[in-house]
Amino acid sequence: MSNNCFHCLESVPSGFNATVVIDGSAQPMCCIGCQTVAETIVAQGMTDYYKFRTVRAGKVEQLVPEQLAFISSYDNPDIQDEFISQTNDISEVLLTVEGITCAACAWLIERQLLNIPAIKRVDVNTSTNRAMIQWHKDQTPLSDIIKSLLEIGYKAYPFQVDVEASQKQLVAKAYIRRLGVAGLMTMQVMMFAFAMYFGMFSGMEENFEQYFRWISLILASPVILYSAMPFLTNAINGLKAKQLNMDLPVSLAIFGAYGASSYATVMAVGEVYFESICMFTFLLLLGKYLEFRARLKASEFTANLQKLLPLTARTLDENGHEHIIAAKKLKLGDRVLIKAGETIPADGVICTGSTTVDEAMMTGEHLPVNKYIDHQVFAGTVNHDGVIEILINKIGQNTLLNQIIKLQHSALATRPKLVEITDKVAQWFVACLLVFASLTAIGWYQVDPEHAFWITIAVLVATCPCALSLAIPTALTCAVATLTRKGILIKQSHVLETLPQLTRVAFDKTGTLTQGRFSLDAVDLLANSLSKKQILALAAQLESYSEHPIATAFNEFTPAQRDLTNIKILPGCGITGEDNNHNYAIGKSGWFNSKKSNAQATFYIDQQPVANFYFVDEVKSNAANLITSLQQQGLTCHMLTGDASNAGQQIAKKLKLDSFKVGCLPEDKQSEVKLWSSQGEIVAMVGDGVNDSPVFNSAHLSIAMETGADISKNTADVVLLNSDLAAIEHLLTVSKKTRRIIKQNLALSLLYNGSILPLAALGLVAPWMAVIGMSASSIIVISNSLRLLKL
């Protein structure tokens, strides 16, 4: 029996005698922790883990009561607000998992967690050591999930965005270490190689030349077995997952050449090319490092958003005394003092004071925004010139800033169809490349056996389709970062693909083409039952429960004492309520089968119209320019509005829209868009994001003018955080530029692969040239994509 633990491969202490039966054989364990984990793996029927793991498992430590108590603290609702997001009844958490080393670990973790009935989905990323978990929190607490991972030897804890930078630094340091080893050893090996090439050892005994070969083998081994090892590991993991990835041809080239040269050294036959392998690995790592830095730049915007949050906050107690605490410890309802020039630590409502706030980090608009009592302010924005007090109403994952970050990650994580196609093409390309390289090797061995091996390696490396796989994802990442910086939030991955295909754009009126800031222009009394003042007071009470922009016109008439009860909101119609004597309603004209008028709202008592209201709502200053620009690009522009008054017709004529339809219920808008779609039109719907959900679901692309904080509940594909119509033109510009850059990237990568393949097969490309060509093609594609960050 072996003296090493079967689970962690460490030595079994003398006197400790514990075994676990795995696949019919009793295997030794070094401690109670490893024994428990191994027994769990066997009990769950997951012993395949031991067959497919590529490195040893970490030694398992037993949990002490203090650790168990700390894990249980993750079930505290106040603490969970920092890292758990909720969608309906499904909770989602991103865990950092220590000990993930290979694809077998990911398979084991997913199998272990999916055995828990409450867990609906598990996505493990072996490169970032993270697991995204969706589950029913009310059925299984988070601590049970973490303990379940501990049972199979993995320590897990909630991922926090603020540690992302340190993780990226670790990756960068790993690149530097591998580059350093490769560079140092390459210089040493090259010295011996040049000396032998130029005859500096001529006249010496043959065994001395063999001696220097052995030295070169020793010097090259750290380069291959350390610096180049990630390529081999990724290639093997890909094969286990039944995928041909980009590292496979590179690994075949590196380790094939190393194996051949080692054989030549040991057997004292043929030529050795240790200097070429080392230079090859060094250049390859250098290219990968430059690629990593470029991709880091493309994705750094989200990280910069998180850095905007302050570390501390100034809270006020009941006596008005200040206390400085960590911003992460803020709770709902806390009163926070924010002085001029300070950054707002969490979302809240101003309860004292007035100021101007810089919201450029969200909206892209650098002009300060005036804020008064009852106005919403957001975490990460900067208080300019006033002293304010706010009541915290959003913390953790619910703040607008974290919603932006989460939705941006979600949009990039969902793979567009074009990316899936290119990935499949890349995999087939790799398969064809391996076949072509084999044919090249066979052909050259018939012609020039001495050079056949290195020509084959050049073919493997030069034609590796790395640039093809990077062509689309890097462009999309840069485009999403640019749009987010301008206050345009992409929520779905298909947006940038769909935008250039649009043929028709439909707009809601209120709050979209118009300012949405209504003022009461006239009141027409239809009956003498109540006075104008009484009707306005009752109408204002009903409208105080509405989120429609018209409701703000009644704010000044809302009485302090509200007597109406049984309030009901009927989408597309209006609001009803009652007191002891009557039923009241305010809504569209013609409601309750009454006679229609041009009024924008009508007040009803017992379903009889008693007053008509007329409002003034200014058209947005940039609406006309947007409509003209869209029409010049070949798009037709239309208006679908629920307003039955003549205001819709007046605005349609003023903006020269192609068509308009007034008095639309939500289902009417939806039917109109479906009709256009059935006629082959590609339709975008632009609305206020409040009552346009049905039509948003029917349109090919939906754009919401959003000023609220809870963007995660908005069903639109795109949210304009600054509610600026000019952003739509910028969105179209970026999408078309992205499409052009994607086409350029694909053309560059295919042109490179198409031209280098015959040259390499003809023996006109040396291995080191192949490495430079492959790395250069990837860097050119990424650099081309980075141009999108400058829009």
Side-chain angles (χ1 to χ4, degrees):
M1 184 178 289
S2 170
N3 290 326
N4 291 334
C5 175
F6 187 76
H7 180 76
C8 71
L9 304 184
E10 293 190 7
S11 298
V12 177
S14 59
F16 187 83
N17 185 20
T19 60
V20 175
V21 177
I22 300 174
D23 291 335
S25 301
Q27 303 293 352
M29 297 290 149
C30 67
C31 63
I32 297 296
C34 288
Q35 180 185 11
T36 304
V37 169
E39 287 174 346
T40 301
I41 290 173
V42 171
Q44 298 287 349
M46 298 185 291
T47 55
D48 281 350
Y49 165 72
Y50 293 111
K51 297 177 183 177
F52 297 125
R53 62 178 177 178
T54 55
V55 295
R56 72 180 187 179
K59 186 175 178 66
V60 181
E61 298 177 358
Q62 287 184 277
L63 291 176
V64 296
E66 290 80 3
Q67 291 172 306
L68 290 172
F70 183 76
I71 292 172
S72 297
S73 70
Y74 290 136
D75 297 332
N76 186 317
D78 294 334
I79 296 176
Q80 287 184 351
D81 286 338
E82 290 291 327
F83 49 80
I84 290 181
S85 57
Q86 191 80 20
T87 305
N88 298 324
D89 60 339
I90 299 293
S91 301
E92 182 175 280
V93 66
L94 183 62
L95 296 180
T96 297
V97 185
E98 293 183 359
I100 295 178
T101 55
C102 60
C105 294
W107 175 84
L108 180 61
I109 289 169
E110 289 175 0
R111 283 286 301 273
Q112 172 75 353
L113 293 183
L114 289 174
N115 283 329
I116 301 174
I119 294 181
K120 299 304 175 186
R121 180 174 177 178
V122 179
D123 293 313
V124 178
N125 189 322
T126 55
S127 60
T128 59
N129 286 12
R130 295 177 202 155
M132 179 70 78
I133 300 168
Q134 294 179 349
W135 89 110
H136 293 286
K137 188 173 66 173
D138 55 340
Q139 297 177 18
T140 300
L142 180 60
S143 59
D144 284 358
I145 295 174
I146 294 175
K147 290 172 187 175
S148 179
L149 289 175
L150 283 167
E151 288 178 0
I152 53 172
Y154 297 96
K155 182 180 179 182
Y157 44 87
F159 170 76
Q160 296 289 297
V161 180
D162 54 4
V163 303
E164 187 174 53
S166 62
Q167 290 187 343
K168 288 177 179 176
Q169 286 181 352
L170 291 176
V171 174
K173 287 178 181 178
Y175 269 116
I176 295 296
R177 284 197 301 270
R178 295 183 190 278
L179 265 173
V181 170
L184 182 63
M185 295 304 175
T186 298
M187 288 190 292
Q188 305 302 317
V189 175
M190 291 294 288
M191 286 194 300
F192 291 106
F194 278 125
M196 286 190 284
Y197 288 159
F198 294 108
M200 293 181 65
F201 297 140
S202 58
M204 298 181 68
E205 295 181 15
E206 186 178 338
N207 59 344
F208 274 101
E209 184 177 344
Q210 184 66 15
Y211 170 73
F212 287 117
R213 283 190 174 194
W214 276 101
I215 293 180
S216 297
L217 170 61
I218 294 170
L219 292 173
S221 293
V223 178
I224 309 305
L225 301 179
Y226 172 67
S227 297
M229 190 53 68
F231 300 117
L232 180 62
T233 302
N234 291 338
I236 292 173
N237 291 340
L239 289 174
K240 286 180 177 178
K242 298 181 181 180
Q243 292 183 339
L244 300 176
N245 58 27
M246 308 304 146
D247 290 314
L248 182 57
V250 171
S251 300
L252 288 173
I254 293 175
F255 289 90
Y258 176 70
S261 296
S262 299
Y263 176 81
T265 300
V266 174
M267 305 305 294
V269 294
E271 297 293 329
V272 296
Y273 295 93
F274 289 116
E275 76 290 346
S276 297
I277 308 168
C278 292
M279 178 63 74
F280 175 85
T281 303
F282 175 75
L283 292 173
L284 193 62
L285 282 170
L286 182 61
K288 290 289 185 183
Y289 177 67
L290 294 175
E291 177 189 316
F292 167 76
R293 298 297 302 180
R295 295 177 76 174
L296 196 62
K297 184 177 181 181
S299 60
E300 67 183 2
F301 177 72
T302 299
N304 289 341
L305 277 181
Q306 189 65 29
K307 292 176 184 176
L308 294 171
L309 291 176
L311 296 176
T312 59
R314 188 182 289 106
T315 60
L316 298 173
D317 60 21
E318 295 177 355
N319 299 320
H321 297 143
E322 295 182 16
H323 303 278
I324 296 178
I325 65 170
K328 286 185 176 181
K329 294 185 177 180
L330 287 172
K331 302 185 296 295
L332 294 176
D334 278 354
R335 194 181 185 95
V336 178
L337 176 67
I338 303 164
K339 297 182 179 179
E342 292 183 344
T343 301
I344 296 170
D347 291 7
V349 176
I350 296 178
C351 55
T352 302
S354 62
T355 187
T356 57
V357 176
D358 180 2
E359 295 183 344
M361 47 74 63
M362 289 188 317
T363 64
E365 176 57 61
H366 292 278
L367 292 176
V369 181
N370 293 322
K371 297 286 184 178
Y372 307 99
I373 291 176
D374 292 335
H375 277 204
Q376 178 77 40
V377 292
F378 305 104
T381 57
V382 179
N383 178 26
H384 264 193
D385 48 21
V387 178
I388 57 174
E389 295 177 15
I390 67 172
L391 285 176
I392 303 299
N393 62 0
K394 299 284 184 181
I395 59 174
Q397 293 296 309
N398 295 318
T399 63
L400 179 60
L401 182 68
N402 279 324
Q403 287 184 53
I404 292 173
I405 293 171
K406 179 188 173 186
L407 292 174
Q408 185 181 19
H409 279 306
S410 298
L412 291 174
T414 308
R415 297 156 63 81
K417 291 180 181 178
L418 192 56
V419 175
E420 293 179 357
I421 291 171
T422 53
D423 281 354
K424 289 180 180 178
V425 169
Q427 284 200 38
W428 279 105
F429 195 99
V430 172
C432 294
L433 169 61
L434 295 176
V435 173
F436 186 81
S438 302
L439 295 175
T440 302
I442 294 171
W444 273 98
Y445 268 112
Q446 308 300 320
V447 179
D448 187 356
E450 185 177 345
H451 293 94
F453 186 77
W454 297 105
I455 291 172
T456 304
I457 286 179
V459 170
L460 284 170
V461 176
T463 54
C464 183
C466 294
L468 180 63
S469 291
L470 293 170
I472 300 176
T474 51
L476 293 178
T477 300
C478 292
V480 169
T482 293
L483 291 171
T484 307
R485 191 172 64 244
K486 295 291 185 179
I488 304 169
L489 183 61
I490 304 296
K491 295 180 64 180
Q492 300 296 331
S493 59
H494 70 85
V495 168
L496 293 172
E497 288 181 279
T498 305
L499 275 164
Q501 303 171 20
L502 292 179
T503 60
R504 185 168 295 210
V505 182
F507 295 89
D508 182 33
K509 178 179 74 71
T510 306
T512 303
L513 291 174
T514 65
Q515 297 286 353
R517 292 193 291 270
F518 287 89
S519 58
L520 190 61
D521 187 40
V523 180
D524 183 12
L525 297 180
L526 306 177
N528 296 323
S529 55
L530 293 175
S531 68
K532 177 180 175 181
K533 183 177 180 181
Q534 290 174 314
I535 289 173
L536 283 172
L538 289 167
Q541 283 190 61
L542 290 171
E543 290 288 6
S544 67
Y545 296 96
S546 172
E547 294 182 1
H548 195 281
I550 281 181
T552 58
F554 291 91
N555 286 348
E556 60 182 295
F557 306 111
T558 305
Q561 183 69 30
R562 303 185 188 186
D563 302 318
L564 299 184
T565 58
N566 196 24
I567 304 295
K568 294 180 181 178
I569 299 176
L570 305 174
C573 294
I575 307 172
T576 65
E578 60 186 35
D579 60 15
N580 294 330
N581 301 314
H582 301 283
N583 292 316
Y584 303 97
I586 183 171
K588 68 176 186 176
S589 179
W591 197 8
F592 305 117
N593 297 316
S594 61
K595 184 178 179 181
K596 267 194 169 186
S597 70
N598 290 328
Q600 288 150 292
T602 300
F603 186 74
Y604 303 85
I605 298 179
D606 296 327
Q607 301 188 359
Q608 299 299 314
V610 296
N612 285 331
F613 300 106
Y614 299 88
F615 307 92
V616 177
D617 184 18
E618 302 256 338
V619 176
K620 289 185 176 179
S621 59
N622 48 16
N625 291 336
L626 173 66
I627 300 300
T628 302
S629 175
L630 293 177
Q631 291 172 337
Q632 288 174 349
Q633 296 177 55
L635 281 74
T636 58
C637 298
H638 312 264
M639 182 173 68
L640 301 174
T641 177
D643 186 355
S645 71
N646 59 359
Q649 182 177 356
Q650 293 172 358
I651 290 173
K653 289 181 178 179
K654 181 177 181 180
L655 297 177
K656 299 179 181 178
L657 296 173
D658 294 284
S659 75
F660 67 93
K661 190 172 182 180
V662 300
C664 296
L665 295 172
E667 52 266 30
D668 296 331
K669 296 182 181 181
Q670 188 176 23
S671 299
E672 193 73 13
V673 169
K674 284 183 176 179
L675 176 63
W676 290 336
S677 299
S678 67
Q679 296 169 350
E681 303 281 357
I682 307 297
V683 185
M685 180 68 200
V686 185
D688 59 13
V690 176
N691 58 1
D692 291 317
S693 294
V695 69
F696 277 179
N697 291 327
S698 299
H700 295 89
L701 182 72
S702 51
I703 302 173
M705 316 292 287
E706 177 67 33
T707 54
D710 203 356
I711 55 176
S712 64
K713 293 181 181 177
N714 197 308
T715 57
D717 300 321
V718 182
V719 178
L720 306 183
L721 296 175
N722 53 12
S723 294
D724 184 3
L725 284 173
I728 296 177
E729 191 167 357
H730 185 71
L731 177 61
L732 275 168
T733 301
V734 171
S735 69
K736 291 179 179 179
K737 183 76 171 178
T738 303
R739 183 175 63 172
R740 285 198 300 271
I741 284 181
I742 285 175
K743 287 181 177 179
Q744 292 168 5
N745 287 348
L746 291 173
L748 285 168
S749 57
L750 292 173
L751 179 65
Y752 164 75
N753 281 315
S755 59
I756 200 72
L757 184 59
L759 295 176
L762 291 172
L764 301 177
V765 178
W768 65 270
M769 295 169 61
V771 176
I772 292 176
M774 186 194 71
S775 299
S777 65
S778 297
I779 293 170
I780 288 171
V781 162
I782 294 174
S783 299
N784 190 41
S785 299
L786 289 175
R787 292 194 294 134
L788 288 166
L789 294 177
K790 299 178 181 179
L791 293 178

